[in-house]
Amino acid sequence: MFYIILNFMEIFSNNCTNLELTIAMPGFSSSPSLPSSGESGGNVRKELDINQVPDQEEDCMEEEEEESPNGGPARRKKLRLTKEQSRLLEESFRHNQTLNPKEKEALAVELKLKPRQVEVWFQNRRARSKLKQTEMECEYLKRWFGTLTEQNRKLQKELENLRTMKPGPNNAYPAHMAPTLSSTMCPRCERVTTATHVLDKGATTTATTAAMPPFFQARRQPSAACYN
DNA sequence: TCGGGTGATGACCTTACTTCA
DNA sequence: GGTGAAGTAAGGTCATCACCC
């Protein structure tokens, strides 16, 4: 069991550092918050009108602090993309999750948006689909962990039973055939195999496998040898 | 009023490219 | 001319803010 968790940690350490915590701590929140940089509140605000064709001469970063009628800084008007704009962006995202400058420019022209807005949309889209994916994987791993825990419990019980068995004349076995319980993970198909080796004629043989979650299998290249 | 969805921003990191000793 | 360090720009992720439904 521990072996399996260690493998999880190894495999996910590069792209999902909180998954091992999720497994170990059921109450764990999926959105860990780090200390704020303290600078995020200073956003420059600007009125955006999606129905306005972006002025090609205008620098996107050329933003002045506008003032509201009462003298304070103007509130940013939230841009809402139209259904058609969203549809085209989604379609483009399905085709390619990152845009090169030409594609960005072309898409911006087509959507009557600024290239920066297209860029931001893609950034958010990538971040949020990654978040969703991580959450799904997290749920899957939680369930899988539960399954393995239950399986482990049963096997422990079975092992306990086998240890208390008295080897009589009908179920005697040579020392090298003593019941052994071993868990191994096949490097190719990623199945965890737990096997109780053959005891004697009539004795039970247990072979239990727990398939790795599909997304988990897809991440690793199979090696040459498969034990299953 | 509150929470979720989402557009926008700043900080920081990586990578490619250029310059220079 | 080849090479490594330093500088710079572009584009990415991440965390967060804040508008709007």
Side-chain angles (χ1 to χ4, degrees):
Chain A
M1 191 60 229
F2 191 57
Y3 174 80
I4 294 162
I5 291 181
L6 285 176
N7 272 279
F8 271 36
M9 294 169 78
E10 174 206 333
I11 290 161
F12 278 96
S13 60
N14 288 334
N15 53 8
C16 186
T17 52
N18 58 6
L19 278 175
E20 63 269 29
L21 292 176
T22 305
I23 292 167
M25 303 164 64
F28 157 78
S29 161
S30 67
S31 56
S33 73
L34 295 174
S36 164
S37 62
E39 297 293 320
S40 311
N43 292 352
V44 179
R45 293 163 185 207
K46 183 178 184 181
E47 294 285 334
L48 294 173
D49 183 353
I50 60 170
N51 297 317
Q52 206 170 36
V53 180
D55 185 353
Q56 299 298 326
E57 301 300 314
E58 183 185 7
D59 184 352
C60 290
M61 300 306 290
E62 178 200 347
E63 296 176 352
E64 291 181 12
E65 194 77 16
E66 290 180 18
E67 296 210 345
S68 64
N70 60 13
R75 289 167 69 84
R76 181 173 61 202
K77 182 92 176 165
K78 177 95 173 179
L79 163 70
R80 298 300 302 185
L81 299 175
T82 65
K83 282 183 180 174
E84 182 61 11
Q85 283 171 323
S86 295
R87 190 189 65 76
L88 280 169
L89 283 164
E90 285 290 348
E91 197 173 294
S92 179
F93 184 79
R94 271 199 302 278
H95 183 251
N96 196 358
Q97 296 201 358
T98 51
L99 294 175
N100 63 39
K102 278 188 178 177
E103 291 170 330
K104 190 203 310 180
E105 187 67 43
L107 197 52
V109 168
E110 187 178 0
L111 295 171
K112 297 182 167 59
L113 291 172
K114 293 175 182 172
R116 173 64 184 159
Q117 289 175 307
V118 173
E119 182 180 311
V120 165
W121 187 92
F122 269 76
Q123 283 170 2
N124 285 324
R125 189 67 178 75
R126 280 194 297 270
R128 281 154 189 163
S129 56
K130 185 178 179 182
L131 177 66
K132 263 198 176 129
Q133 172 77 9
T134 302
E135 283 171 354
M136 282 172 60
E137 290 179 3
C138 191
E139 280 306 310
Y140 206 112
L141 287 171
K142 276 185 192 170
R143 286 206 297 275
W144 194 53
F145 176 69
T147 303
L148 287 173
T149 303
E150 175 63 16
Q151 197 175 94
N152 191 42
R153 194 189 59 76
K154 284 179 182 169
L155 288 167
Q156 291 288 349
K157 197 173 175 182
E158 191 176 338
L159 178 62
E160 194 66 27
N161 290 340
L162 288 168
R163 279 184 174 146
T164 56
M165 271 177 60
K166 284 185 181 174
N170 288 335
N171 59 357
Y173 43 78
H176 72 277
M177 289 289 285
T180 57
L181 198 61
S182 60
S183 291
T184 55
M185 182 181 284
C186 167
R188 191 179 115 187
C189 70
E190 302 285 13
R191 292 178 84 85
V192 178
T193 302
T194 307
T196 306
H197 293 163
V198 176
L199 304 177
D200 193 0
K201 54 184 175 185
T204 58
T205 299
T206 306
T208 311
T209 62
M212 298 291 283
F215 67 84
F216 200 70
Q217 294 177 21
R219 290 183 175 199
R220 307 196 78 190
Q221 289 295 321
S223 60
C226 180
Y227 307 135
N228 295 320

